[in-house]
Amino acid sequence: MATKKNSTRYSAKDRSSDSQLSTKPLRTNPLQLLDLSNRPPTGLIDQWIWEKRMWVESTFALTMLEPWEKIFVCFVFTLIMTLFVFGMYYYLPHHIHIIYGRAKYYLLGDESARLLIFRGPALGEL
């Protein structure tokens, strides 16, 4: 009579090694470029940075993207934020000046009239 072979895919030896997963971090150098491993590092500062990165990735669903897509999304976000900050720095003071003139016109009926509310030693006469 022929012996019946085990129909499971793995032997008992393989199953015991599956339960002993390594808890050691994947990376050894925290400054490696483009190292996007999902295991937490051992250093205190590295672990804090990793936690913040995991929070951002899970909040904005970046964990489903490939590494090059994550880099592309971060690049586009950085570009848009840079343009936004530049626009706020470059155009906002002039726009506030225009709004100030319109507010004087609507409140006092004349743009050349002085608003006494904003006059003071810190601001001078506007």
Side-chain angles (χ1 to χ4, degrees):
M1 177 179 224
T3 61
K4 189 175 183 183
K5 290 187 177 182
N6 191 355
S7 64
T8 61
R9 206 168 166 186
Y10 301 106
S11 66
K13 182 181 177 183
D14 291 337
R15 276 185 264 158
S16 67
S17 66
D18 286 343
S19 64
Q20 299 172 355
L21 293 175
S22 173
T23 58
K24 184 179 173 185
L26 291 176
R27 60 184 171 153
T28 56
N29 184 1
L31 298 176
Q32 287 178 343
L33 185 62
L34 301 177
D35 183 18
L36 300 174
S37 62
N38 289 331
R39 291 190 183 172
T42 55
L44 187 62
I45 295 173
D46 293 340
Q47 188 173 9
W48 183 81
I49 292 171
W50 177 85
E51 286 174 359
K52 298 306 174 197
R53 193 189 100 216
M54 286 293 113
W55 179 81
V56 168
E57 285 187 8
S58 60
T59 301
F60 298 108
L62 297 177
T63 53
M64 68 179 187
L65 301 177
E66 293 183 11
W68 71 269
E69 292 171 324
K70 289 180 190 180
I71 292 169
F72 180 74
V73 168
C74 290
F75 173 76
V76 169
F77 176 75
T78 303
L79 179 68
I80 290 172
M81 287 306 296
T82 302
L83 292 174
F84 179 74
V85 169
F86 175 77
M88 292 290 289
Y89 178 76
Y90 189 73
Y91 294 110
L92 187 63
H94 181 259
H95 189 65
I96 289 175
H97 182 69
I98 291 173
I99 292 173
Y100 176 72
R102 288 181 184 172
K104 284 196 315 185
Y105 175 76
Y106 287 122
L107 293 174
L108 303 176
D110 188 11
E111 280 190 44
S112 62
R114 292 185 180 173
L115 277 178
L116 300 177
I117 299 169
F118 294 116
R119 192 169 71 182
L123 296 175
E125 291 186 22
L126 296 175

